[in-house]
Amino acid sequence: QVQLVESGGGLVQAGGSLRLSCAASGRTFSSYGMGWFRQAPGKEREFVAAISRGGGYTYYADFVKGRFTISRDNAAVYLQMNSLKPEDTAVYYCAARDIVTPTTTRYDYWGQGTQVTVSS
C-alpha cells in the first residue's frame, strides 16, 4: 500500500510557474514508477508526465513538453511547471504503479489531487 499526498497547487498568472510535490509513504517508494495526471472541469482525466522507478526515464504529454519537468527523490515526486497557460487549469493528481510508459493510464494508487488555476 502506498499513500500519496499532493501539494503545491494554487493560483498563478499566465506565464508563471508552480512546483507540485507528491509525498509518498507506505511501501518502498522506489519500487514504483510515478505519474502526474490532470482533470479540468467537464473533461476527462489526462496524462501529463511520468517517471520510471529509478528516475532514468521520463515521459511527457505533447502539450507540456518543454514547459513541465518531472523529477523524483527518495520520498517524493515533483512536477515543475513553467510558462503556465490558462488551459493548464485543472486538478492535478499523482499516481503510482510498477512500470510506467507514455500510454499507461491504469495506476494502482492515486493521491487526492491539488488544484492549479492559471489566470489570463
Side-chain angles (χ1 to χ4, degrees):
Q1 191 79 3
V2 176
Q3 293 79 42
L4 304 172
V5 179
E6 302 96 334
S7 62
L11 174 64
V12 63
Q13 289 188 333
S17 299
L18 282 175
R19 188 188 193 217
L20 304 183
S21 299
C22 175
S25 61
R27 295 186 62 182
T28 306
F29 176 62
S30 59
S31 299
Y32 293 91
M34 299 296 297
W36 284 99
F37 291 76
R38 71 186 188 185
Q39 187 167 20
K43 295 186 177 181
E44 293 187 353
R45 185 171 60 196
E46 62 183 355
F47 169 78
V48 175
I51 188 166
S52 61
R53 287 177 287 190
Y57 296 93
T58 57
Y59 310 100
Y60 296 94
D62 287 343
F63 55 78
V64 302
K65 284 182 179 178
R67 299 190 299 125
F68 292 10
T69 303
I70 189 171
S71 62
R72 67 185 297 165
D73 59 23
N74 290 337
V77 63
Y78 308 96
L79 188 67
Q80 178 66 43
M81 306 187 295
N82 299 327
S83 302
L84 283 161
K85 306 175 182 180
E87 51 264 44
D88 293 319
T89 295
V91 177
Y92 284 72
Y93 299 89
C94 69
R97 60 164 293 147
D98 51 359
I99 296 174
V100 297
T101 71
T103 57
T104 303
T105 59
R106 292 193 176 190
Y107 280 62
D108 298 318
Y109 305 101
W110 292 84
Q112 84 290 348
T114 185
Q115 176 70 47
V116 171
T117 303
V118 184
S119 63
S120 58

